[in-house]
PDB file of all heavy atoms in Angstrom:
ATOM      1  N   GLU A  58      18.209   6.678 -10.940  1.00  0.00           N
ATOM      2  CA  GLU A  58      17.650   6.756  -9.547  1.00  0.00           C
ATOM      3  C   GLU A  58      16.118   6.458  -9.665  1.00  0.00           C
ATOM      4  O   GLU A  58      15.462   6.777 -10.678  1.00  0.00           O
ATOM      5  CB  GLU A  58      17.855   8.156  -9.020  1.00  0.00           C
ATOM      6  CG  GLU A  58      19.270   8.460  -8.602  1.00  0.00           C
ATOM      7  CD  GLU A  58      19.391   9.801  -7.854  1.00  0.00           C
ATOM      8  OE1 GLU A  58      18.409  10.553  -7.850  1.00  0.00           O
ATOM      9  OE2 GLU A  58      20.446  10.077  -7.244  1.00  0.00           O
ATOM     10  N   ASN A  59      15.609   5.945  -8.516  1.00  0.00           N
ATOM     11  CA  ASN A  59      14.127   5.797  -8.534  1.00  0.00           C
ATOM     12  C   ASN A  59      13.492   7.026  -7.946  1.00  0.00           C
ATOM     13  O   ASN A  59      14.214   7.988  -7.567  1.00  0.00           O
ATOM     14  CB  ASN A  59      13.774   4.551  -7.753  1.00  0.00           C
ATOM     15  CG  ASN A  59      14.159   4.584  -6.290  1.00  0.00           C
ATOM     16  OD1 ASN A  59      14.485   5.691  -5.779  1.00  0.00           O
ATOM     17  ND2 ASN A  59      14.190   3.499  -5.589  1.00  0.00           N
ATOM     18  N   ILE A  60      12.166   6.981  -7.786  1.00  0.00           N
ATOM     19  CA  ILE A  60      11.442   8.183  -7.339  1.00  0.00           C
ATOM     20  C   ILE A  60      11.915   8.591  -5.924  1.00  0.00           C
ATOM     21  O   ILE A  60      11.761   9.717  -5.484  1.00  0.00           O
ATOM     22  CB  ILE A  60       9.901   7.889  -7.329  1.00  0.00           C
ATOM     23  CG1 ILE A  60       9.117   9.012  -6.726  1.00  0.00           C
ATOM     24  CG2 ILE A  60       9.625   6.609  -6.534  1.00  0.00           C
ATOM     25  CD1 ILE A  60       9.254  10.349  -7.400  1.00  0.00           C
ATOM     26  N   GLN A  61      12.543   7.587  -5.240  1.00  0.00           N
ATOM     27  CA  GLN A  61      12.971   7.885  -3.915  1.00  0.00           C
ATOM     28  C   GLN A  61      14.304   8.684  -3.884  1.00  0.00           C
ATOM     29  O   GLN A  61      14.805   8.993  -2.836  1.00  0.00           O
ATOM     30  CB  GLN A  61      13.195   6.552  -3.122  1.00  0.00           C
ATOM     31  CG  GLN A  61      12.235   5.445  -3.451  1.00  0.00           C
ATOM     32  CD  GLN A  61      10.832   5.731  -2.945  1.00  0.00           C
ATOM     33  OE1 GLN A  61      10.630   6.568  -2.003  1.00  0.00           O
ATOM     34  NE2 GLN A  61       9.769   5.084  -3.512  1.00  0.00           N
ATOM     35  N   GLY A  62      14.858   8.858  -5.120  1.00  0.00           N
ATOM     36  CA  GLY A  62      16.190   9.495  -5.214  1.00  0.00           C
ATOM     37  C   GLY A  62      17.289   8.491  -4.828  1.00  0.00           C
ATOM     38  O   GLY A  62      18.376   8.890  -4.551  1.00  0.00           O
ATOM     39  N   GLU A  63      16.970   7.202  -4.866  1.00  0.00           N
ATOM     40  CA  GLU A  63      17.951   6.212  -4.527  1.00  0.00           C
ATOM     41  C   GLU A  63      18.546   5.518  -5.844  1.00  0.00           C
ATOM     42  O   GLU A  63      17.786   5.286  -6.746  1.00  0.00           O
ATOM     43  CB  GLU A  63      17.316   5.065  -3.635  1.00  0.00           C
ATOM     44  CG  GLU A  63      16.764   5.605  -2.317  1.00  0.00           C
ATOM     45  CD  GLU A  63      15.697   4.684  -1.705  1.00  0.00           C
ATOM     46  OE1 GLU A  63      15.188   3.827  -2.482  1.00  0.00           O
ATOM     47  OE2 GLU A  63      15.444   4.812  -0.578  1.00  0.00           O
ATOM     48  N   THR A  64      19.844   5.288  -5.809  1.00  0.00           N
ATOM     49  CA  THR A  64      20.427   4.602  -6.916  1.00  0.00           C
ATOM     50  C   THR A  64      19.849   3.234  -7.121  1.00  0.00           C
ATOM     51  O   THR A  64      19.683   2.501  -6.081  1.00  0.00           O
ATOM     52  CB  THR A  64      21.987   4.399  -6.710  1.00  0.00           C
ATOM     53  OG1 THR A  64      22.510   5.770  -6.588  1.00  0.00           O
ATOM     54  CG2 THR A  64      22.631   3.761  -7.907  1.00  0.00           C
ATOM     55  N   GLN A  65      19.379   2.910  -8.301  1.00  0.00           N
ATOM     56  CA  GLN A  65      18.752   1.616  -8.526  1.00  0.00           C
ATOM     57  C   GLN A  65      19.762   0.514  -8.744  1.00  0.00           C
ATOM     58  O   GLN A  65      20.756   0.730  -9.417  1.00  0.00           O
ATOM     59  CB  GLN A  65      17.800   1.647  -9.734  1.00  0.00           C
ATOM     60  CG  GLN A  65      16.521   2.445  -9.460  1.00  0.00           C
ATOM     61  CD  GLN A  65      15.596   2.428 -10.669  1.00  0.00           C
ATOM     62  OE1 GLN A  65      15.995   2.887 -11.733  1.00  0.00           O
ATOM     63  NE2 GLN A  65      14.379   1.980 -10.458  1.00  0.00           N
ATOM     64  N   LYS A  66      19.514  -0.641  -8.155  1.00  0.00           N
ATOM     65  CA  LYS A  66      20.267  -1.789  -8.495  1.00  0.00           C
ATOM     66  C   LYS A  66      19.692  -2.464  -9.760  1.00  0.00           C
ATOM     67  O   LYS A  66      18.510  -2.288 -10.037  1.00  0.00           O
ATOM     68  CB  LYS A  66      20.203  -2.842  -7.315  1.00  0.00           C
ATOM     69  CG  LYS A  66      20.693  -2.341  -5.950  1.00  0.00           C
ATOM     70  CD  LYS A  66      22.133  -2.598  -5.877  1.00  0.00           C
ATOM     71  CE  LYS A  66      22.630  -2.340  -4.422  1.00  0.00           C
ATOM     72  NZ  LYS A  66      24.099  -2.247  -4.362  1.00  0.00           N
ATOM     73  N   GLU A  67      20.550  -3.171 -10.434  1.00  0.00           N
ATOM     74  CA  GLU A  67      19.997  -3.875 -11.636  1.00  0.00           C
ATOM     75  C   GLU A  67      18.875  -4.782 -11.218  1.00  0.00           C
ATOM     76  O   GLU A  67      17.795  -4.831 -11.911  1.00  0.00           O
ATOM     77  CB  GLU A  67      21.127  -4.706 -12.294  1.00  0.00           C
ATOM     78  CG  GLU A  67      22.178  -3.873 -13.005  1.00  0.00           C
ATOM     79  CD  GLU A  67      23.280  -4.764 -13.501  1.00  0.00           C
ATOM     80  OE1 GLU A  67      24.204  -4.999 -12.692  1.00  0.00           O
ATOM     81  OE2 GLU A  67      23.234  -5.163 -14.678  1.00  0.00           O
ATOM     82  N   LEU A  68      18.985  -5.415 -10.061  1.00  0.00           N
ATOM     83  CA  LEU A  68      17.960  -6.331  -9.636  1.00  0.00           C
ATOM     84  C   LEU A  68      16.676  -5.658  -9.173  1.00  0.00           C
ATOM     85  O   LEU A  68      15.566  -6.244  -9.224  1.00  0.00           O
ATOM     86  CB  LEU A  68      18.495  -7.271  -8.523  1.00  0.00           C
ATOM     87  CG  LEU A  68      19.262  -8.437  -9.012  1.00  0.00           C
ATOM     88  CD1 LEU A  68      19.941  -9.195  -7.851  1.00  0.00           C
ATOM     89  CD2 LEU A  68      18.393  -9.453  -9.811  1.00  0.00           C
ATOM     90  N   ASP A  69      16.782  -4.378  -8.774  1.00  0.00           N
ATOM     91  CA  ASP A  69      15.557  -3.558  -8.465  1.00  0.00           C
ATOM     92  C   ASP A  69      14.638  -3.526  -9.672  1.00  0.00           C
ATOM     93  O   ASP A  69      13.450  -3.733  -9.645  1.00  0.00           O
ATOM     94  CB  ASP A  69      15.969  -2.172  -8.087  1.00  0.00           C
ATOM     95  CG  ASP A  69      16.426  -1.998  -6.611  1.00  0.00           C
ATOM     96  OD1 ASP A  69      15.846  -2.684  -5.756  1.00  0.00           O
ATOM     97  OD2 ASP A  69      17.280  -1.237  -6.376  1.00  0.00           O
ATOM     98  N   VAL A  70      15.312  -3.234 -10.857  1.00  0.00           N
ATOM     99  CA  VAL A  70      14.557  -3.089 -12.114  1.00  0.00           C
ATOM    100  C   VAL A  70      14.058  -4.444 -12.577  1.00  0.00           C
ATOM    101  O   VAL A  70      12.934  -4.604 -12.995  1.00  0.00           O
ATOM    102  CB  VAL A  70      15.423  -2.355 -13.162  1.00  0.00           C
ATOM    103  CG1 VAL A  70      14.680  -2.290 -14.495  1.00  0.00           C
ATOM    104  CG2 VAL A  70      15.800  -0.940 -12.631  1.00  0.00           C
ATOM    105  N   ILE A  71      14.961  -5.443 -12.523  1.00  0.00           N
ATOM    106  CA  ILE A  71      14.617  -6.770 -12.977  1.00  0.00           C
ATOM    107  C   ILE A  71      13.428  -7.357 -12.207  1.00  0.00           C
ATOM    108  O   ILE A  71      12.460  -7.900 -12.755  1.00  0.00           O
ATOM    109  CB  ILE A  71      15.846  -7.708 -12.921  1.00  0.00           C
ATOM    110  CG1 ILE A  71      16.862  -7.319 -13.934  1.00  0.00           C
ATOM    111  CG2 ILE A  71      15.388  -9.176 -13.066  1.00  0.00           C
ATOM    112  CD1 ILE A  71      18.266  -7.990 -13.742  1.00  0.00           C
ATOM    113  N   THR A  72      13.532  -7.200 -10.908  1.00  0.00           N
ATOM    114  CA  THR A  72      12.429  -7.801 -10.056  1.00  0.00           C
ATOM    115  C   THR A  72      11.125  -7.048 -10.209  1.00  0.00           C
ATOM    116  O   THR A  72       9.984  -7.582 -10.198  1.00  0.00           O
ATOM    117  CB  THR A  72      12.833  -7.811  -8.561  1.00  0.00           C
ATOM    118  OG1 THR A  72      13.231  -6.524  -8.132  1.00  0.00           O
ATOM    119  CG2 THR A  72      14.022  -8.756  -8.360  1.00  0.00           C
ATOM    120  N   ASN A  73      11.255  -5.710 -10.362  1.00  0.00           N
ATOM    121  CA  ASN A  73      10.034  -4.891 -10.657  1.00  0.00           C
ATOM    122  C   ASN A  73       9.341  -5.377 -11.858  1.00  0.00           C
ATOM    123  O   ASN A  73       8.137  -5.482 -11.952  1.00  0.00           O
ATOM    124  CB  ASN A  73      10.436  -3.420 -10.776  1.00  0.00           C
ATOM    125  CG  ASN A  73       9.250  -2.492 -10.766  1.00  0.00           C
ATOM    126  OD1 ASN A  73       8.516  -2.365  -9.780  1.00  0.00           O
ATOM    127  ND2 ASN A  73       8.978  -1.876 -11.924  1.00  0.00           N
ATOM    128  N   THR A  74      10.171  -5.603 -12.973  1.00  0.00           N
ATOM    129  CA  THR A  74       9.570  -6.064 -14.234  1.00  0.00           C
ATOM    130  C   THR A  74       8.916  -7.401 -14.065  1.00  0.00           C
ATOM    131  O   THR A  74       7.789  -7.696 -14.547  1.00  0.00           O
ATOM    132  CB  THR A  74      10.699  -6.124 -15.276  1.00  0.00           C
ATOM    133  OG1 THR A  74      11.277  -4.846 -15.418  1.00  0.00           O
ATOM    134  CG2 THR A  74      10.155  -6.614 -16.630  1.00  0.00           C
ATOM    135  N   ILE A  75       9.581  -8.363 -13.356  1.00  0.00           N
ATOM    136  CA  ILE A  75       8.990  -9.703 -13.112  1.00  0.00           C
ATOM    137  C   ILE A  75       7.630  -9.566 -12.470  1.00  0.00           C
ATOM    138  O   ILE A  75       6.639 -10.154 -12.938  1.00  0.00           O
ATOM    139  CB  ILE A  75       9.934 -10.554 -12.289  1.00  0.00           C
ATOM    140  CG1 ILE A  75      11.181 -10.930 -13.056  1.00  0.00           C
ATOM    141  CG2 ILE A  75       9.236 -11.833 -11.858  1.00  0.00           C
ATOM    142  CD1 ILE A  75      12.259 -11.618 -12.190  1.00  0.00           C
ATOM    143  N   PHE A  76       7.544  -8.768 -11.368  1.00  0.00           N
ATOM    144  CA  PHE A  76       6.299  -8.642 -10.635  1.00  0.00           C
ATOM    145  C   PHE A  76       5.234  -8.021 -11.465  1.00  0.00           C
ATOM    146  O   PHE A  76       4.073  -8.472 -11.498  1.00  0.00           O
ATOM    147  CB  PHE A  76       6.596  -7.812  -9.364  1.00  0.00           C
ATOM    148  CG  PHE A  76       5.695  -8.185  -8.187  1.00  0.00           C
ATOM    149  CD1 PHE A  76       5.914  -9.332  -7.455  1.00  0.00           C
ATOM    150  CD2 PHE A  76       4.602  -7.404  -7.911  1.00  0.00           C
ATOM    151  CE1 PHE A  76       5.128  -9.682  -6.420  1.00  0.00           C
ATOM    152  CE2 PHE A  76       3.741  -7.737  -6.829  1.00  0.00           C
ATOM    153  CZ  PHE A  76       4.006  -8.842  -6.094  1.00  0.00           C
ATOM    154  N   LEU A  77       5.583  -6.984 -12.195  1.00  0.00           N
ATOM    155  CA  LEU A  77       4.626  -6.323 -13.061  1.00  0.00           C
ATOM    156  C   LEU A  77       4.130  -7.289 -14.171  1.00  0.00           C
ATOM    157  O   LEU A  77       2.898  -7.509 -14.383  1.00  0.00           O
ATOM    158  CB  LEU A  77       5.227  -5.079 -13.754  1.00  0.00           C
ATOM    159  CG  LEU A  77       5.249  -3.789 -13.045  1.00  0.00           C
ATOM    160  CD1 LEU A  77       5.906  -2.707 -13.928  1.00  0.00           C
ATOM    161  CD2 LEU A  77       3.855  -3.317 -12.569  1.00  0.00           C
ATOM    162  N   GLU A  78       5.109  -7.824 -14.932  1.00  0.00           N
ATOM    163  CA  GLU A  78       4.787  -8.615 -16.090  1.00  0.00           C
ATOM    164  C   GLU A  78       3.870  -9.808 -15.670  1.00  0.00           C
ATOM    165  O   GLU A  78       2.928 -10.150 -16.411  1.00  0.00           O
ATOM    166  CB  GLU A  78       6.041  -9.206 -16.737  1.00  0.00           C
ATOM    167  CG  GLU A  78       6.879  -8.130 -17.502  1.00  0.00           C
ATOM    168  CD  GLU A  78       6.124  -7.700 -18.702  1.00  0.00           C
ATOM    169  OE1 GLU A  78       5.669  -8.571 -19.508  1.00  0.00           O
ATOM    170  OE2 GLU A  78       5.998  -6.432 -18.925  1.00  0.00           O
TER     171      GLU A  78
END
Side-chain angles (χ1 to χ4, degrees):
E58 287 188 348
N59 62 16
I60 175 59
Q61 325 289 340
E63 298 160 343
T64 301
Q65 286 183 302
K66 298 274 190 193
E67 289 175 275
L68 278 171
D69 280 324
V70 175
I71 291 168
T72 56
N73 190 67
T74 302
I75 291 172
F76 209 77
L77 276 183
E78 286 292 312

